């Protein structure tokens, strides 16, 4: 049985991805900053597939050591990790000139640093196994920057760059790397705003794309998946 680790998995895209992988029969390691959310979601996942193992960890992904501890705990509980989903992210609605003193560093730590640390922790082990799949949830802001979310755009651009570097390093070893580039997706980032959900990408759409890429033959790697709303929004 394969094992997947997913950051920030109790809400939005992470939640949908975790449910999708549970239905595929993968054991799951999931994290969140909120223990109650993790406990409730663990029970829900166990109801979806009672045959899988589920490891949970209260983790603040802005703190490097907590990310490393999550990785180590997942490995100890489940065994070798076969799939990484770099889902955690923070969206800061601010131009660079209006950022708080810590805005940029927070965005770097969460949007980029978590994926970097998980790659450093698991990368050589995947090389030794000659298999694995790394997914990173980037953003259309990595292609078309959003001036009103400057630090977010910078770090998502960097995450897309990290994905390209990981893919280049991993290709000779049979490890797949896929960048998911979603447009406006109905998640908690839109809380408090009036939006038309029928004109947005849904978290389940992202999960479906990931599962389809994951299930391709050993010789096929989907490098990037760009998913945008059908009605012309970013």
């Amino acid at each position: 049985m394969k094992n997947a680790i997913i950051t920030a998995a109790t809400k939005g895209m992470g939640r949908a991805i975790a449910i999708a992988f549970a239905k595929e029969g993968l054991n799951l390691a999931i994290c969140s900053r909120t223990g109650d959310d993790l406990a409730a979601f663990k029970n829900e996942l166990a109801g979806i597939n009672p045959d899988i193992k589920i490891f949970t960890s209260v983790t603040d992904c802005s703190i490097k050591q907590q990310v490393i501890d999550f990785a180590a705990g997942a490995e100890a509980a489940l065994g070798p990790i076969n799939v990484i989903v770099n889902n955690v992210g923070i969206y800061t609605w601010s131009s660079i000139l209006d950022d708080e003193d810590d805005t940029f560093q927070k965005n770097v730590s969460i949007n980029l640093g978590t994926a970097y640390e998980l790659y450093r922790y698991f990368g050589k082990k995947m090389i030794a196994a000659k298999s694995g799949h790394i997914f990173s949830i980037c953003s259309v802001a990595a292609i078309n920057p959003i001036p009103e979310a400057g630090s977010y755009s910078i770090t998502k651009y960097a995450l897309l760059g990290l994905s390209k570097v990981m893919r280049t390093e991993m290709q000779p070893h049979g490890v797949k790397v896929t960048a998911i580039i979603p447009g406006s997706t109905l998640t908690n980032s839109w809380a408090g705003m009036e939006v038309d959900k029928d004109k947005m990408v849904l978290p389940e759409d992202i999960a479906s794309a990931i599962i389809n890429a994951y299930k391709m033959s050993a010789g096929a790697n989907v490098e990037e998946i760009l998913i945008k709303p059908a009605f012309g929004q970013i």
Side-chain angles (χ1 to χ4, degrees):
M1 188 175 285
K2 302 290 188 180
N3 304 315
I5 186 170
I6 307 169
T7 54
T10 60
K11 297 177 181 177
M13 286 182 275
R15 173 185 175 84
I17 294 163
I19 289 172
F21 272 122
K23 290 179 178 178
E24 292 296 320
L26 274 73
N27 297 322
L28 298 174
I30 58 175
C31 75
S32 169
R33 290 179 298 174
T34 307
D36 289 345
D37 289 348
L38 278 170
F41 191 40
K42 180 178 182 179
N43 289 336
E44 183 178 347
L45 290 169
I48 292 170
N49 189 339
D51 295 325
I52 64 171
K53 297 178 182 178
I54 304 165
F55 170 76
T56 65
S57 172
V58 176
T59 301
D60 182 342
C61 288
S62 69
I63 301 173
K64 172 181 175 179
Q65 189 58 51
Q66 290 195 24
V67 173
I68 294 171
D69 290 345
F70 171 47
E75 191 175 48
L78 303 179
I81 298 299
N82 311 103
V83 177
I84 301 171
V85 181
N86 295 308
N87 171 69
V88 69
I90 181 174
Y91 185 90
T92 305
W93 187 260
S94 172
S95 70
I96 291 173
L97 297 180
D98 293 324
D99 276 349
E100 300 293 335
D101 288 344
D102 61 349
T103 297
F104 179 70
Q105 189 55 54
K106 281 184 178 179
N107 276 264
V108 169
S109 297
I110 295 173
N111 295 345
L112 180 63
T114 305
Y116 175 84
E117 295 302 338
L118 290 181
Y119 179 56
R120 280 173 50 80
Y121 189 92
F122 291 114
K124 290 183 179 180
K125 297 171 184 180
M126 288 183 166
I127 288 174
K130 298 186 183 302
S131 68
H133 205 147
I134 303 171
F135 295 92
S136 295
I137 307 299
C138 300
S139 167
V140 292
I143 301 171
N144 298 306
I146 302 170
E148 297 84 5
S151 289
Y152 173 82
S153 297
I154 292 168
T155 51
K156 287 298 185 177
Y157 185 92
L159 181 60
L160 181 57
L162 174 61
S163 184
K164 292 175 185 289
V165 172
M166 290 190 294
R167 185 165 55 248
T168 302
E169 290 186 344
M170 289 290 162
Q171 274 181 334
H173 308 287
V175 179
K176 301 182 182 184
V177 179
T178 302
I180 309 297
I181 308 172
S184 299
T185 304
L186 191 62
T187 67
N188 284 350
S189 296
W190 298 91
M193 303 183 193
E194 290 188 13
V195 297
D196 184 348
K197 68 177 183 179
D198 292 327
K199 294 184 178 181
M200 301 183 74
V201 178
L202 298 180
E204 290 76 15
D205 297 322
I206 306 301
S208 176
I210 286 176
I211 294 299
N212 286 332
Y214 172 72
K215 293 174 71 174
M216 287 192 178
S217 66
N221 178 50
V222 180
E223 296 187 356
E224 296 179 2
I225 303 177
L226 174 62
I227 308 175
K228 298 178 69 175
F231 291 88
Q233 288 94 335
I234 294 176

